[in-house]
């Protein structure tokens, strides 16, 4: 068992804690049957957190990171880039003075090596690219963004005065009849929505026409949900109809962004948000991903194999754990609304989850390599193989992920 999610930091503890938070919340929502009684399966949890290892679609596996994503030596240390989306890749190339036809890893490495990582990090913020300087744990803890995300709840709850009645189904699918509008993408938000769907919620994911989601990630995290294309800027009346029908809204947007589109959240709505750096401090609102947070927060150097070259956790554990923690918070918010009718706002951040992990005891610098989950943790539908749910009591999701944008923009 010890080899699953094996790392210097207690990644297994983070993963198990987040999954068990969902189970506990489901019990508070009146869940019965296996979800209320089954024990957590450590290997299944590890498989769900590292699902890209098991993913197959026909003869293709998952390309976890694009060629221009990763660690690069800079003039003053290390830089971590994220260029999986074409618009982020193009912005990164432009800020280091490269054209698209020069887009190979060796050329980018040469361009970065001549520059300061701190300089590129600052330029990336201005350009809308994704790149951070790799920091030590001590540097992160002493920094303003590190201090801003070091304390507080893993998910922040804020009650609102508006309200509307709600009844929860309880039973084997405690969220049956709950409608969830999912406006998120890789990875924490989609994991949250997928978990709510597993527990019976009707989850509809909406995306703008551009940029498109990375196909394998949609197929790996979209189980139990439907996926539709809707441009909030040009199809506002339809978007408002869907929002009015929803009980829960999950977004990756900044505070006030939904209202900026012209949308009016209905009374009693549970509004759940997830982002990289939280809502306070100098990095509030900056873009980021799990790998970027690991690099900035000191995790990458803690997980270094040689003490110098940055490493990583054996899974994108910040993303997955934050997704499960947010799902648990949504369930508790629904329970609270069923009791008093009041709406709630929820907020989670990858950097807050990272700080929680850094604070846990039980580091294992001499840990064995992380073991790969076995086929018992996988499920196959046709030519596609994905990881089974981490939540105990479920052997599979309600249905496999639909291809990106192939469903109508409507609840069942």
């Amino acid at each position: 068992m010890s080899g699953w999610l094996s790392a210097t930091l207690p990644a297994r503890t983070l993963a198990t804690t987040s999954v068990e938070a969902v189970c506990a919340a489901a019990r508070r929502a009146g869940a019965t049957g296996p979800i209320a009684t089954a024990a957590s399966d450590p290997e299944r949890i590890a498989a769900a957190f590292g699902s890209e290892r098991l993913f197959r679609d026909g003869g293709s596996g998952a390309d976890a990171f694009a060629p221009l994503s990763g660690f690069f030596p800079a003039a003053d240390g290390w830089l971590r880039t994220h260029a999986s989306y074409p618009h982020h890749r193009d912005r990164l190339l432009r800020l280091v003075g490269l054209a698209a036809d020069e887009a190979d890893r060796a050329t980018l490495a040469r361009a970065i090596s001549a520059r300061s990582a701190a300089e590129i990090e600052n330029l990336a913020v201005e350009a809308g690219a994704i790149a951070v300087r790799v920091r030590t744990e001590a540097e992160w803890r002493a920094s303003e963004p590190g201090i801003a995300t070091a304390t507080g709840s893993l998910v922040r709850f804020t009650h609102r005065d508006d309200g509307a009645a709600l009844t929860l189904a309880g039973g084997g699918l405690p969220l049956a009849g709950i409608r969830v509008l999912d406006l998120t993408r890789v990875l924490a938000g989609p994991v949250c929505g997928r978990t709510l769907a597993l527990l019976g919620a009707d989850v509809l994911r909406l995306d703008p026409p551009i940029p498109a989601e990375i196909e394998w990630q949609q197929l790996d995290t979209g189980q139990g949900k439907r996926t539709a294309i809707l441009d909030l800027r040009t199809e506002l009346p339809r978007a408002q109809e869907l929002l009015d029908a929803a009980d829960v809204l999950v977004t990756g947007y900044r505070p006030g962004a939904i209202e900026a589109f012209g949308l009016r959240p209905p009374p009693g709505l549970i509004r759940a948000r997830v982002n990289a750096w939280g809502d306070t401090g100098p990095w509030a609102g900056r873009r980021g991903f799990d790998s970027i947070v690991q690099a900035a927060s000191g995790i990458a150097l803690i997980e270094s194999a040689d003490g110098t070259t940055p490493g990583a956790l054996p899974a994108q554990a910040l993303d997955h754990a934050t997704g499960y923690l947010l799902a648990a918070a949504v369930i508790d918010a629904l329970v609270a609304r069923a009791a008093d009718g009041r709406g709630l706002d929820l907020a989670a951040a990858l950097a807050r989850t990272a700080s929680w992990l850094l604070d846990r005891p039980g580091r294992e610098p001499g840990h064995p390599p992380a073991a790969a989950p076995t086929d018992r943790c996988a499920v196959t539908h046709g030519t596609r193989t994905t990881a089974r749910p981490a939540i105990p009591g479920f052997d599979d999701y309600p249905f496999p992920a639909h291809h990106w944008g192939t469903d109508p923009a409507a609840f069942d």
Side-chain angles (χ1 to χ4, degrees), residues 26-401:
R27 289 192 292 270
R28 289 189 288 271
T32 59
I35 187 176
T37 59
S40 296
D41 183 331
E43 187 182 8
R44 282 263 296 268
I45 293 173
F49 271 62
S51 58
E52 68 277 1
R53 294 186 182 189
L54 294 173
F55 179 82
R56 295 290 182 275
D57 188 27
S60 301
D63 294 323
F65 292 104
L68 302 189
S69 294
F71 295 105
F72 293 87
D76 59 348
W78 289 89
L79 186 80
R80 180 60 164 89
T81 66
H82 193 289
S84 295
Y85 289 101
H87 60 296
H88 290 153
R89 178 199 62 211
D90 294 345
R91 292 168 186 171
L92 175 65
L93 291 171
R94 282 197 298 271
L95 77 84
V96 295
L98 296 177
D101 59 4
E102 300 176 283
D104 65 78
R105 191 173 179 88
T107 303
L108 178 61
R110 286 194 295 272
I112 290 174
S113 68
R115 308 278 288 273
S116 157
E119 176 196 11
I120 296 176
E121 177 183 88
N122 291 331
L123 291 172
V125 175
E126 298 172 8
I130 312 293
V132 294
R133 181 173 67 86
V134 175
R135 290 162 170 78
T136 66
E137 179 183 2
E139 285 180 302
W140 175 250
R141 288 186 181 277
S143 70
E144 290 186 64
I147 292 170
T149 58
T151 58
S153 302
L154 287 171
V155 182
R156 190 177 70 248
F157 283 68
T158 304
H159 285 270
R160 303 194 311 273
D161 290 334
D162 60 87
L166 178 79
T167 301
L168 291 177
L173 295 175
L175 301 188
I178 296 298
R179 290 178 166 181
V180 178
L181 204 56
D182 181 350
L183 274 61
T184 68
R185 56 177 51 210
V186 57
L187 268 174
V191 167
C192 173
R194 182 183 68 182
T195 304
L196 299 175
L198 183 69
L199 300 184
D202 179 9
V203 182
L204 174 64
R205 170 172 166 161
L206 294 181
D207 283 280
I210 299 174
E213 181 59 286
I214 297 168
E215 180 71 357
W216 79 262
Q217 289 179 340
Q218 159 62 22
L219 297 176
D220 192 44
T221 61
Q223 300 97 319
K225 298 182 281 186
R226 283 167 297 109
T227 164
I229 304 301
L230 190 76
D231 194 329
L232 301 185
R233 295 166 296 184
T234 61
E235 299 178 83
L236 185 60
R238 181 59 186 146
Q240 185 65 56
E241 289 176 5
L242 291 170
L243 187 58
D244 288 341
D247 302 295
V248 179
L249 172 67
V250 186
T251 75
Y253 293 130
R254 301 169 191 173
I258 289 296
E259 291 82 357
F261 282 115
L263 292 168
R264 303 179 307 279
L269 184 71
I270 306 303
R271 304 191 300 204
R273 292 186 299 104
V274 60
N275 63 20
W277 308 107
D279 295 332
T280 61
W283 285 19
R286 282 194 185 188
R287 299 171 177 88
F289 295 90
D290 180 300
S291 58
I292 294 295
V293 176
Q294 287 192 42
S297 65
I299 291 174
L301 288 176
I302 290 171
E303 298 297 338
S304 169
D306 59 12
T308 302
T309 306
L313 296 169
Q316 295 187 67
L318 305 180
D319 256 329
H320 286 271
T322 304
Y324 289 116
L325 291 167
L326 188 60
V330 167
I331 299 167
D332 280 336
L334 288 167
V335 171
R337 179 180 157 188
D340 63 19
R342 298 172 66 191
L344 290 98
D345 292 338
L346 314 175
L350 304 186
R352 178 68 194 99
T353 304
S355 292
W356 186 94
L357 178 62
L358 289 167
D359 287 342
R360 293 309 93 193
R363 296 189 182 188
E364 299 180 38
H367 62 85
T374 61
D375 288 344
R376 66 176 284 271
C377 299
V379 59
T380 298
H381 294 277
T383 61
R384 190 188 311 155
T385 298
T386 54
R388 294 187 187 275
I391 307 301
F394 295 93
D395 282 334
D396 199 358
Y397 292 95
F399 52 83

